[in-house]
Amino acid sequence: MKDYEVIIGLETHIQLNTETKIFCSCKADSWEAEPNTNICPVCSGLPGVLPVLNAEAVHKGAILAAAMHAQINTKSYFDRKNYFYPDLPKGYQISQFDQPIGRGGYLDLPLENGETRRVRIHNLHLEEDAGKTKTERGVRLLDFNRCGVPLVEMVTEPDLRSGDEAAQYLIRLRQLLRWIGVSEADMERGHLRCDANVSIRERGTTVLNTKTEIKNVNSIDSVRQAIGEEAKRQIELVESGGKVESYTLDWDADRGKLTKMRSKETEADYRYFREPDLLPVVLSTEEIDAVIARLPELPLARRARFEQEYQLSAYDAEILTSERSLSDYYEAAVAAYAGEAKTAANWMMNDLSRLLNDLGKTADQLVLKPENLAEIISMVDKGKINAATGKSLLKKVEETGKSPSEIVDDEGLGLIADSDALRKQIEGILAGASAEVASFRAGKESLLGWFVGQVMRSSGGKADPKRTREILLELLNKE
Amino acid sequence: MTTKRISPELFEKLVGLAALELTAEESTYLFEEMNHQLASVEALSQIPLPEDVEPSLHGLEPKGLPPRPDEWKPFAHPEAIIALAPETEDGMIVVPDVKGAK
Amino acid sequence: MSLTQLSAFEVAHKVRTGEVKAAEFAQAALEQIRAVDGVSGSLNPGELDPIEESKVHAFIQVTQDKAIEQAEKVDQKIANGDEPGLLAGVPLSVKDIFCVEGTRTTAASKIIANFVPPYTATAVQRLVDAGAIVLGKVNLDEFTFGSSNESSAFQPSTSNPWNTEYVPGGSSGGSAASVAAQEVALSLGTDTGGSIRQPAAFCGVVGLKPSYGRVSRLGLIAFASSLDCPGPLSRNVRDSALMLQVMAGNDPKDSTSSTLPVDDYLGALEQDVKGLRIGLSPDYEAVYYPDLESGELHSEPIQKGVREAVLRAAETLAKAGAEIVENVPMPNTRYGIPAYFVISRVEAASNLHRFDGVKYGYRTPEAVEDLNELYRRSRAEGFGLEPKLRILMGMYVSAAEHASSYYQKALKVRSMIRSDFEHAFDPQGAYRLDALLTSTTATTAFKRKAVYGNSVLMQYSDQMTVASNHAGVPALTMPGGLDENGLPIGIQLIGNDFREEMILRIGNAYEQLTADDAWRKVRPQVLQGEVRA
Ligand SMILES: [Zn+2]
C-alpha cells in the first residue's frame, strides 16, 4: 500500500453570543423557547419588512477576526444568497460574499510531537442562521426561532492532516471563542458547527484531489471519527482501483456511519448580489485598532508566558490556560502571593479545580477571590494553619464570604505556635510517658514520631509540627 | 431572422431554478418576451464605460443610522405570524417532505 | 363646490376649524366612490355589466368601517381640543402594496390575495397619525410590475378617469385615478421606475417621487429595493408638499432611510422662481428603443403636444424670472431602461422568492408529491405572467456566468446616469441647475390592450422617469396641458438630492402662473356626468 496523507479543510459556523438576532430585535438564544415563539415579521420572512443590522454582531465578528489574525476590512458588504429551502423564510440568506468582514488569518495548533500546525483561514464572514425543520410522518415541521441568529462562517484552508488534528482545531477554536467572549461555543447546542472537506493524496505530492464534504460533524469525537472513516474509505477505494467522487456525506453520530446525501457535481448558483436593504458595514481604522488593542492575550501566548514567567511545566501551563477566567484567576493569585508561583499552581490545579468542579462554576464566578487563595497558601507556608485546614478554608470562604483569617480566628483553627504554651503541653506529655522517654534516650530515636503524634492528638491538630519537633528534641535530649 | 439570445434549454432550466412551471402557452410567450428584453439589455454592452466607473449599490448612497444597539424588543404577536400559514401543527408550519431526502 | 373637490390643504383647514367634520368628508368620499368607482377589482370578476366600462375601478377594497372610525377619532380630537394633525380628515387611498395591519394587502396578486399583515407601513402610519382617513386599498399592476395597471390579478383593472377606454398608467394607476376622479384628495403610491409619475401624468394629477431614502420603505412590499420610493399623489403641488411633510424623515426600521433633517416643504412654496436655473435637455426630447431582433437603438421624437407643453412651461417660468438653461447634456438617459431591465429584475426575482406557498398566502390546493412540487405549483398558480417574466429575467442576468456582463455592467451604468445629474446640478459646474424640466412621459395615455403584452414597449413608457430612480434624485410630475384627444400631459421637474423643496416650489409657482389657463378648466370624463347632474 502506498503512503497516503489526508488533506482536511473545515468550514465552521460560530453562533455569536449577542443578546438579539443579527437583523431584528428578537432574542438570539431560544434554546428553551417553544417553537415559533421567538420570531417577528423580519426573521420569519413576511413581506415588506426590512433587516436592521445589530452593531454587537459586527463588533463581535471583528473581535473574532482580530483574534484569528485576519485582516479586518474597513468596508464590508452583505449579499443575498438566493435559494429555496423551507428553513429559509425569505428565500435568500443574508450573508457576506466577496467583501466579508475578515480575510485571511490563522490559528496555531500545538501538536503532540511538540510542533505547531498553522491552520490558515480563508475568510470569515457574518451571516444569519436558518431555522430548524424536523421530519415527522413524512411531513416537515418548521420552527423559525433560530432564523436570524448571528453566525460567523469561518473556512480554513486545507491545512489539517488527520481527524485528530481536526479535532484539535475544534478544541482550540472552542477555547479561543470562549476566551475572547464572542460565543458560548457549546457544540451540543449548535453554537459551533462544523463541516469537513476530506481528500487524500500520496505523501510527498502537492496535488489536491477530489474531496468529499462531510456535513454535521458537530462534536469533537464526530470530527475525529468521521474524518478517520472517510479517509479510510477513500484510501481503500483508491487502493482497489476506484476513484473518489465529489459527494456530500452525512455523519450519523449515533451509528458512527457516513451516508451519501447527494452528488455535488453541479455547484448550485446562489446568484449572489449586494443586499440593497442594508448599508455597507463600515469600520474606521481607529475602531479596528481599538478592537485589536483591546484583544486579550490569547491562550497560546499566555501558555508560553506562564511556562517562562512562572517556571511552570507545559502541562501545568496548559491546564491553567484552558480557560481565560482560570488563567486570570491564577495570575491574580500569583500577584497577591509572595511565594513560589508553582505552589499557587498546585493549589489551583488540585484544590481550586475540585471546588470549581463541585460547584459547577467558572473561576470568575467564585466568591473566593484570588487574594483569598493567596492568603490561605501564605498561612500554610507560615505555619499559621496546616495544609488540611487550608484546603477546608477554600470551601468555607466560598460559602461564607468571610476572609480566611477571619474564619481562622473565629473558629480557632490557628496552630499553637506559642512556645511557652506548647512547651508546657509537651512537658506534661513527656511526664506521663516515662517508659517511652527512657527508650528514646536509650537510642530508640524512631519514637520521635510517636511523641509528635501524641502532641498533635492532645492539641487537636493545632500544634505547629515544626515547633513541636524542635521542643521535643530539646527536652528529650536534655538529660 | 430571429436572434434567440437564450436557448429553449436554458429557458427550461431557468424555469426550474425559479421554482415555476409553465403551460405551453405561457412558455411560448415568456420565452419570446425574454429574448426581446435581452435585445434591449444588449444596449448595455455598447456603452463606453470609463475604466474607473464603480458599480453603485444605490444611485443616491443612503446616509442612514449606524447599526442598531443590541437590545431585545420582542414582537408582540408571534402567533399571528404562524396563523398566516396555510397549514400548521403544534405551533409549527407544515410542508411536505422533499422527495429523495434522507 | 362639493366636498370631494377640495384640496387636502382645504379639507384639513375646514376640519381643523370645525367648519366641516372629518366624518362628513369620509361620507362624501364614500359617496363619490360609490358614484364613480364601480365594482372593486377581484380575482373572479365574472361577467361585467356594460355600465362598468365607464367606471374608474380604482379600488380593490374600500375599507368603509375603518374610514368612518378614523374620521370619528379625528372629530373626537377636535372636540377635545387636541391637535388633530396636518392631514386632519383628509381622504386618502393607499396603493395595495403597503401593509396595513388588519387590512387585506394583496399586491394585486393571487399569491397573497388573502394576506392580512400584522403590521403597518411607516408611511401609512405617519399619514394616519396626522389625521388622514384611509378609504381603502387601490389597484396596481401585479407587484407594481407594469405601466398600465392591466397586469393586476384583480380585475377589472383601473381605467383612466379622463377616458375610460384608456389606461390610467401604472403601476400606481389606482392611486392616480382615485385622485383624478375625486374619490380621495391624496393617494400613497410607489415609484420604482416611474410608477407614481407616469400614472399621475396620464391621469392629470400631481405626483412626487422623493429622493431615495427620504420616505421609509418599511411595510412596502418590495419590487426593486434599491429603487423603490413611496410618494404622494394629489391634485395640486401644495397637497403633495403637505403629504411629503408628514411622511418624510428617518425610520430606524429602514436602514436606507435618510437621517437628513426634513425641510419645510410648505414654507418653500411661498418663494417664487426668480433667478432659479431650470434646464432643458435634448436627451429628453426623444425616446430610444431597441429593434427587438437586432437590438439596435432607434430613436423617435416624443409626442409633439407633449414637447410643446414642456416648452410652454419653460416660457412661463422664464417670464416669471427663472433662467432657462438649454442643451443640458444627459447622455446616459437612453440607457436607463436597459439598466433597469437588469437591476430591477435581479432584485425583483430575489424579493419574490419568499412567496412560496409555505408561510402565508396562496398554497396550491392540489395534492403534491413533495416540497419542490409545492413550491412550483403554488408559484405557477399564484403569480401572473408579468411576475413570472421578471423572475426569469432576473434569474438569467444574475446567474454567476452572466452577472459581470449584465448585472455588474448595469450597476456601472447606474453610476453613469447618476453622474449626468451630478454634472447638471453641480453648483460649481457648467450648468448649476436648480431643476431639470422634462416631459414625464413620451406620450399621453394609451388605450387598453394597445401595449399590454409587449413587455418591452410597456417598459419603455418609463423612459423619461427611470433615470431619476437610478440616480436616486427627487422628481415631480404635474399637469402641463391636454393633448388633441383631451388627454392630460405631464411635465416633470427633477431636482438634486433631497431638494424636494426646490421642485415643489417651482411646481407650485408654475401652477399659480397657469391657474387661469383654459385647459385647467377641463374636467375628467367621469366627473362630467356629475356636473350635468
Ligand atoms: Zn425576529
Side-chain angles (χ1 to χ4, degrees):
Chain A
M1 194 168 101
K2 293 180 193 142
D3 186 14
Y4 291 96
E5 83 178 325
V6 189
I7 311 295
I8 302 149
L10 297 183
E11 187 180 312
T12 50
H13 285 94
I14 298 150
Q15 178 175 331
L16 299 176
N17 57 358
T18 51
E19 173 77 14
T20 64
K21 294 183 178 181
I22 185 167
F23 298 124
C24 64
S25 301
C26 294
K27 260 215 179 347
D29 178 49
S30 35
W31 186 252
E32 313 259 296
E34 292 293 311
N36 294 313
T37 53
N38 182 30
I39 58 172
C40 73
V42 175
C43 57
S44 50
L46 265 54
V49 290
L50 300 165
V52 181
L53 180 60
N54 178 351
E56 195 58 15
V58 176
H59 184 63
K60 290 197 156 148
I63 293 174
L64 177 55
M68 297 302 291
H69 315 279
Q71 178 203 319
I72 304 174
N73 289 320
T74 51
K75 203 170 189 183
S76 66
Y77 291 87
F78 283 103
D79 293 85
R80 290 189 187 177
K81 180 179 182 180
N82 299 282
Y83 63 98
F84 289 99
Y85 208 70
D87 64 4
L88 190 71
K90 297 191 297 299
Y92 54 84
Q93 180 192 29
I94 305 179
S95 181
Q96 294 190 304
F97 183 48
D98 58 337
Q99 299 282 335
I101 186 160
R103 203 183 284 286
Y106 58 86
L107 183 67
D108 280 338
L109 297 187
L111 300 180
E112 295 269 321
N113 62 10
E115 287 173 17
T116 299
R117 166 90 66 218
R118 174 157 293 188
V119 183
R120 292 165 301 150
I121 302 301
H122 179 68
N123 69 28
L124 193 146
H125 72 244
L126 288 165
E127 63 182 28
E128 58 178 338
D129 206 346
K132 287 181 179 167
T133 75
K134 66 174 180 184
T135 307
E136 258 176 30
R137 305 178 310 279
V139 298
R140 286 200 176 198
L141 301 172
L142 312 181
D143 174 10
F144 295 149
N145 279 348
R146 203 179 62 183
C147 289
V149 168
L151 298 179
V152 169
E153 183 188 290
M154 207 158 73
V155 183
T156 76
E157 300 286 358
D159 290 349
L160 294 156
R161 292 294 175 268
S162 68
D164 279 335
E165 284 189 24
Q168 268 305 310
Y169 175 83
L170 286 184
I171 290 168
R172 287 294 172 190
L173 178 61
R174 184 175 62 183
Q175 176 192 28
L176 181 74
L177 294 170
R178 292 175 177 168
W179 190 276
I180 59 177
V182 301
S183 173
E184 304 309 311
D186 184 341
M187 292 189 84
E188 283 188 358
R189 292 191 172 195
H191 298 162
L192 175 56
R193 282 169 257 163
C194 181
D195 304 328
N197 288 308
V198 181
S199 64
I200 56 164
R201 70 183 173 205
E202 253 185 87
R203 201 175 295 281
T205 63
T206 54
V207 286
L208 285 177
N209 291 315
T210 304
K211 64 185 184 217
T212 53
E213 184 182 12
I214 315 174
K215 291 272 183 200
N216 302 321
V217 276
N218 290 332
S219 75
I220 308 286
D221 285 342
S222 290
V223 167
R224 192 179 285 122
Q225 286 175 33
I227 292 173
E229 287 289 315
E230 175 56 10
K232 197 171 117 217
R233 185 191 72 85
Q234 290 190 12
I235 291 170
E236 283 170 5
L237 182 68
V238 171
E239 278 292 304
S240 63
K243 243 184 116 181
V244 175
E245 284 176 68
S246 181
Y247 286 155
T248 298
L249 300 157
D250 186 59
W251 174 249
D252 183 337
D254 294 336
R255 296 187 304 139
K257 272 198 139 130
L258 289 164
T259 47
K260 185 180 158 186
M261 284 169 80
R262 58 182 179 267
S263 136
K264 276 193 81 174
E265 276 142 41
T266 46
E267 271 297 319
D269 180 1
Y270 295 112
R271 302 183 341 273
Y272 282 99
F273 72 96
R274 294 266 185 268
E275 169 54 276
D277 289 333
L278 289 168
L279 307 184
V281 182
V282 178
L283 291 166
S284 67
T285 49
E286 291 76 20
E287 285 171 291
I288 293 171
D289 290 347
V291 166
I292 294 170
R294 280 201 296 267
L295 205 60
E297 182 182 30
L298 298 181
L300 290 185
R302 185 166 282 190
R303 191 182 83 161
R305 184 167 61 75
F306 277 14
E307 286 183 43
Q308 257 234 306
E309 199 174 322
Y310 304 130
Q311 300 292 305
L312 299 182
S313 69
Y315 177 79
D316 289 359
E318 175 63 34
I319 301 236
L320 288 174
T321 55
S322 59
E323 257 182 44
R324 185 170 161 199
S325 65
L326 192 69
S327 78
D328 285 346
Y329 195 98
Y330 173 67
E331 289 223 88
V334 168
Y337 170 61
E340 294 280 320
K342 171 67 187 161
T343 309
N346 288 341
W347 277 81
M348 291 275 301
M349 288 171 41
N350 299 315
D351 308 296
L352 195 86
S353 295
R354 196 171 308 124
L355 183 70
L356 289 173
N357 262 335
D358 290 350
L359 299 175
K361 285 185 172 180
T362 54
D364 56 331
Q365 294 166 335
L366 286 177
V367 175
L368 174 80
K369 297 298 161 207
E371 299 72 29
N372 301 143
L373 176 66
E375 189 187 347
I376 292 168
I377 309 173
S378 297
M379 285 197 285
V380 173
D381 287 352
K382 288 181 187 146
K384 284 186 185 159
I385 54 172
N386 64 30
T389 304
K391 288 174 190 189
S392 71
L393 270 178
L394 296 182
K395 210 176 158 199
K396 287 181 177 168
V397 173
E398 181 65 24
E399 281 166 359
T400 63
K402 291 181 184 167
S403 79
S405 55
E406 210 178 332
I407 296 171
V408 167
D409 288 349
D410 289 358
E411 299 188 15
L413 301 175
L415 294 179
I416 305 165
D418 172 354
S419 296
D420 289 344
L422 193 54
R423 185 177 290 267
K424 260 190 201 131
Q425 209 174 349
I426 292 173
E427 281 169 352
I429 286 166
L430 293 184
S434 51
E436 286 78 5
V437 171
S439 291
F440 182 89
R441 288 180 177 156
K444 202 175 174 192
E445 293 187 1
S446 61
L447 275 172
L448 181 63
W450 183 82
F451 285 114
V452 173
Q454 293 302 304
V455 177
M456 286 299 171
R457 191 178 307 148
S458 80
S459 71
K462 287 188 218 160
D464 180 343
K466 197 164 149 245
R467 248 345 256 143
T468 303
R469 206 170 280 266
E470 283 167 11
I471 296 169
L472 270 172
L473 285 173
E474 183 200 324
L475 293 176
L476 286 168
N477 291 328
K478 230 177 193 172
E479 297 306 301
Chain B
M1 188 191 72
T2 300
T3 325
K4 289 295 174 233
R5 282 148 184 102
I6 58 165
S7 64
E9 295 72 30
L10 177 57
F11 181 79
E12 281 311 315
K13 194 181 151 209
L14 288 171
V15 171
L17 288 174
L20 290 171
E21 52 188 32
L22 303 176
T23 63
E25 196 186 347
E26 284 179 321
S27 192
T28 306
Y29 169 74
L30 293 174
F31 178 64
E32 190 75 8
E33 287 304 309
M34 237 183 112
N35 275 296
H36 286 164
Q37 293 191 359
L38 286 168
S40 161
V41 168
E42 258 165 35
L44 292 177
S45 62
Q46 295 155 23
I47 306 174
L49 282 179
E51 285 275 308
D52 58 348
V53 62
E54 291 286 330
S56 47
L57 174 53
H58 297 96
L60 168 53
E61 211 177 298
K63 304 246 185 316
L65 290 170
R68 68 178 167 86
D70 188 16
E71 286 161 16
W72 182 43
K73 290 179 199 154
F75 180 64
H77 303 292
E79 71 288 348
I81 295 172
I82 298 308
L84 295 168
E87 192 184 343
T88 61
E89 189 180 311
D90 300 333
M92 286 184 276
I93 296 173
V94 181
V95 292
D97 206 355
V98 180
K99 207 165 56 182
K102 62 170 179 97
Chain C
M1 196 180 250
S2 76
L3 293 181
T4 55
Q5 284 174 294
L6 296 177
S7 71
F9 195 80
E10 290 163 321
V11 171
H13 180 74
K14 287 191 190 299
V15 170
R16 174 181 290 273
T17 56
E19 191 183 331
V20 183
K21 282 197 155 53
E24 294 175 65
F25 279 110
Q27 284 303 343
L30 288 167
E31 269 163 39
Q32 179 73 353
I33 292 168
R34 276 192 288 274
V36 303
D37 212 59
V39 296
S40 294
S42 79
L43 291 180
N44 304 298
E47 275 295 305
L48 290 177
D49 195 302
I51 193 135
E52 294 292 339
E53 279 175 24
S54 63
K55 300 292 184 184
V56 180
H57 308 295
F59 283 80
I60 285 182
Q61 191 188 174
V62 180
T63 51
Q64 173 166 331
D65 295 346
K66 281 191 181 176
I68 291 169
E69 198 182 304
Q70 282 170 351
E72 282 169 354
K73 262 189 202 156
V74 170
D75 288 331
Q76 192 57 52
K77 273 189 180 175
I78 286 161
N80 295 346
D82 296 338
E83 166 58 42
L86 274 178
L87 297 175
V90 176
L92 168 80
S93 67
V94 174
K95 187 176 183 178
D96 202 13
I97 196 75
F98 288 95
C99 294
V100 176
E101 186 174 352
T103 297
R104 200 160 52 95
T105 297
T106 70
S109 180
K110 184 179 171 186
I111 207 157
I112 49 166
N114 293 312
F115 176 65
V116 180
Y119 43 87
T120 296
T122 301
V124 176
Q125 192 62 56
R126 288 184 181 179
L127 293 166
V128 170
D129 289 347
I133 311 301
V134 181
L135 269 302
K137 304 298 269 312
V138 281
N139 216 335
L140 61 147
D141 285 287
E142 185 173 358
F143 280 104
T144 81
F145 300 165
S147 306
S148 72
N149 229 268
E150 291 160 288
S151 73
S152 173
F154 286 71
Q155 293 291 333
S157 66
T158 307
S159 308
N160 193 316
W162 289 81
N163 183 334
T164 53
E165 284 173 26
Y166 286 71
V167 301
S171 63
S172 310
S175 289
S178 65
V179 170
Q182 294 176 5
E183 295 169 281
V184 288
L186 298 176
S187 188
L188 174 62
T190 64
D191 193 314
T192 307
S195 273
I196 286 175
R197 290 162 290 161
Q198 186 255 22
F202 280 11
C203 293
V205 300
V206 173
L208 173 65
K209 180 204 94 72
S211 305
Y212 184 80
R214 183 71 294 177
V215 177
S216 168
R217 292 185 292 119
L218 184 85
L220 155 62
I221 298 175
F223 162 14
S225 312
S226 75
L227 300 164
D228 291 343
C229 292
L233 293 98
S234 61
R235 285 190 297 272
N236 65 36
V237 174
R238 179 175 299 274
D239 282 359
S240 276
L242 181 65
M243 186 166 162
L244 181 66
Q245 198 81 57
V246 169
M247 293 191 292
N250 181 257
D251 176 6
K253 289 182 172 175
D254 173 1
S255 309
T256 62
S257 142
S258 177
T259 54
L260 270 190
V262 176
D263 285 318
D264 177 3
Y265 303 121
L266 288 171
L269 304 184
E270 305 304 320
Q271 293 173 270
D272 61 24
V273 296
K274 276 198 194 70
L276 295 183
R277 292 173 63 84
I278 296 171
L280 293 172
S281 172
D283 293 302
Y284 277 84
E285 286 172 12
V287 280
Y288 297 84
Y289 61 94
D291 181 282
L292 294 186
E293 301 301 341
S294 69
E296 247 173 77
L297 273 190
H298 299 283
S299 77
E300 198 176 296
I302 62 173
Q303 191 177 310
K304 188 162 158 283
V306 172
R307 180 157 186 267
E308 284 165 1
V310 173
L311 296 177
R312 223 168 33 236
E315 262 170 52
T316 305
L317 290 166
K319 271 186 204 148
E323 212 171 312
I324 302 300
V325 183
E326 287 184 81
N327 290 316
V328 178
M330 303 295 285
N332 293 293
T333 309
R334 70 186 63 179
Y335 305 121
I337 294 294
Y340 186 74
F341 262 132
V342 175
I343 295 170
S344 70
R345 271 45 170 189
V346 170
E347 295 182 14
S350 174
N351 284 330
L352 293 185
H353 260 242
R354 68 184 69 204
F355 304 103
D356 59 5
V358 170
K359 304 157 297 265
Y360 44 78
Y362 181 82
R363 182 184 283 196
T364 181
E366 308 293 322
V368 292
E369 288 227 340
D370 79 343
L371 178 65
N372 287 321
E373 197 188 350
L374 175 92
Y375 286 153
R376 287 197 307 270
R377 296 296 290 269
S378 301
R379 286 163 64 86
E381 295 161 19
F383 285 131
L385 272 177
E386 190 59 32
K388 285 174 184 160
L389 179 55
R390 297 200 179 199
I391 291 168
L392 291 170
M393 185 71 178
M395 309 250 341
Y396 177 70
V397 294
S398 62
E401 66 265 39
H402 301 124
S404 66
S405 50
Y406 292 119
Y407 184 59
Q408 291 303 321
K409 184 95 190 232
L411 294 182
K412 289 179 179 177
V413 171
R414 171 151 77 184
S415 304
M416 300 286 289
I417 293 171
R418 165 99 192 145
S419 71
D420 284 353
F421 287 99
E422 285 173 355
H423 286 141
F425 293 124
D426 182 356
Q428 268 79 51
Y431 304 100
R432 305 183 302 284
L433 297 188
D434 293 300
L436 184 71
L437 172 64
T438 75
S439 71
T440 309
T441 54
T443 67
T444 49
F446 39 86
K447 278 197 167 161
R448 292 175 171 279
K449 299 195 179 85
V451 180
Y452 187 56
N454 183 336
S455 68
V456 175
L457 195 55
M458 185 67 86
Q459 188 66 79
Y460 272 84
S461 68
D462 290 335
Q463 186 151 109
M464 303 291 148
T465 49
V466 75
S468 31
N469 294 85
H470 283 306
V473 296
L476 175 77
T477 181
M478 52 189 178
L482 298 173
D483 75 358
E484 64 278 15
N485 296 320
L487 291 169
I489 295 168
I491 57 174
Q492 175 174 238
L493 286 161
I494 307 174
N496 201 356
D497 301 346
F498 297 105
R499 297 302 304 276
E500 284 82 358
E501 108 290 349
M502 176 60 74
I503 51 177
L504 286 165
R505 166 184 167 186
I506 299 170
N508 183 61
Y510 170 77
E511 217 170 60
Q512 306 302 315
L513 292 164
T514 56
D516 297 327
D517 284 12
W519 58 267
R520 285 206 183 268
K521 312 292 177 213
V522 184
R523 310 183 71 202
Q525 179 192 62
V526 296
L527 297 179
Q528 283 163 15
E530 174 194 312
V531 171
R532 276 198 303 272

